[in-house]
Amino acid sequence: MFKAMVEAFKNLFKPVRTINYPAQEISLPNGYRGLIEHDHEACIYCDKCEKVCPPGAILFYQHEEGGKEYHYNPWLCIYCGECVRACPKPDEALWQSETKQQSGVKEDGVNEGWFVWEEACKESREAYAAAKKERKPKMKSEEPLCVS
Ligand code: SF4
Ligand code: SF4
């Protein structure tokens, strides 16, 4: 007990090691990896980011008419940067922001409906693939023979 009190007393005269964030400004370390940012105009919708994402924090919804919709879950993201590394257009279509207040910018409600989105995206692709197959012209061998 006495030893602990001496230690506590000594600590009163040591410099403070913690930062009063967010009241006090912090500097970001080199290689800081923030939230994932996406630019739908620069994106070529190749799906590479979705394929490499370990926790499945990126999803693409496939529209019937051909366009895709990007979805990102900042609550699921582990900020590994794999998606940016896989992207053929890093810094243009996909990049990691340098925002410091990640919890403050996470969208409300994204996580709650994520599993519904997962299912919807999967179904949208299956439906698109099936429709595409249907539209494919029949192979020559499948065409009926013409008898004159
Ligand atoms: S940083 Fe990692 S976890 Fe987050 S979206 Fe990219 S690949 Fe997925
Ligand atoms: S990897 Fe890049 S270009 Fe491809 S879909 Fe993802 S953000 Fe778009």
Side-chain angles (χ1 to χ4, degrees):
M1 179 73 176
F2 177 73
K3 230 175 145 184
M5 281 176 72
V6 171
E7 203 56 42
F9 185 74
K10 277 197 311 198
N11 281 337
L12 287 175
F13 303 97
K14 285 183 182 170
V16 178
R17 298 284 183 206
T18 52
I19 294 168
N20 186 18
Y21 179 80
Q24 201 179 331
E25 186 62 23
I26 55 164
S27 57
L28 296 173
N30 282 340
Y32 176 83
R33 294 179 293 192
L35 286 165
I36 295 298
E37 304 281 352
H38 176 254
D39 183 341
H40 73 95
E41 281 183 15
C43 180
I44 56 169
Y45 291 92
C46 64
D47 297 352
K48 282 187 179 169
C49 51
E50 186 196 57
K51 285 187 185 111
V52 299
C53 178
I58 292 176
L59 291 175
F60 286 101
Y61 183 87
Q62 177 72 60
H63 288 287
E64 266 179 61
E65 58 279 13
K68 282 182 189 171
E69 206 178 291
Y70 167 88
H71 292 275
Y72 168 60
N73 186 344
W75 300 96
L76 206 55
C77 180
I78 54 169
Y79 307 98
C80 60
E82 281 306 306
C83 52
V84 178
R85 274 189 283 280
C87 181
K89 294 180 82 182
D91 300 327
E92 283 179 68
L94 203 69
W95 66 96
Q96 287 197 274
S97 73
E98 293 201 337
T99 177
K100 296 164 197 166
Q101 288 174 296
Q102 298 208 7
S103 57
V105 293
K106 283 180 176 178
E107 287 171 69
D108 282 341
V110 171
N111 202 36
E112 286 79 53
W114 193 250
F115 297 110
V116 178
W117 264 119
E118 267 186 339
E119 202 51 42
C121 290
K122 191 173 155 239
E123 281 171 12
S124 72
R125 283 172 186 211
E126 286 167 359
Y128 183 76
K132 203 173 162 187
K133 206 173 164 190
E134 195 89 344
R135 284 196 301 269
K136 233 179 176 179
K138 282 188 175 166
M139 300 283 285
K140 269 201 169 151
S141 59
E142 290 173 16
E143 282 172 8
L145 287 174
C146 209
V147 184
S148 56

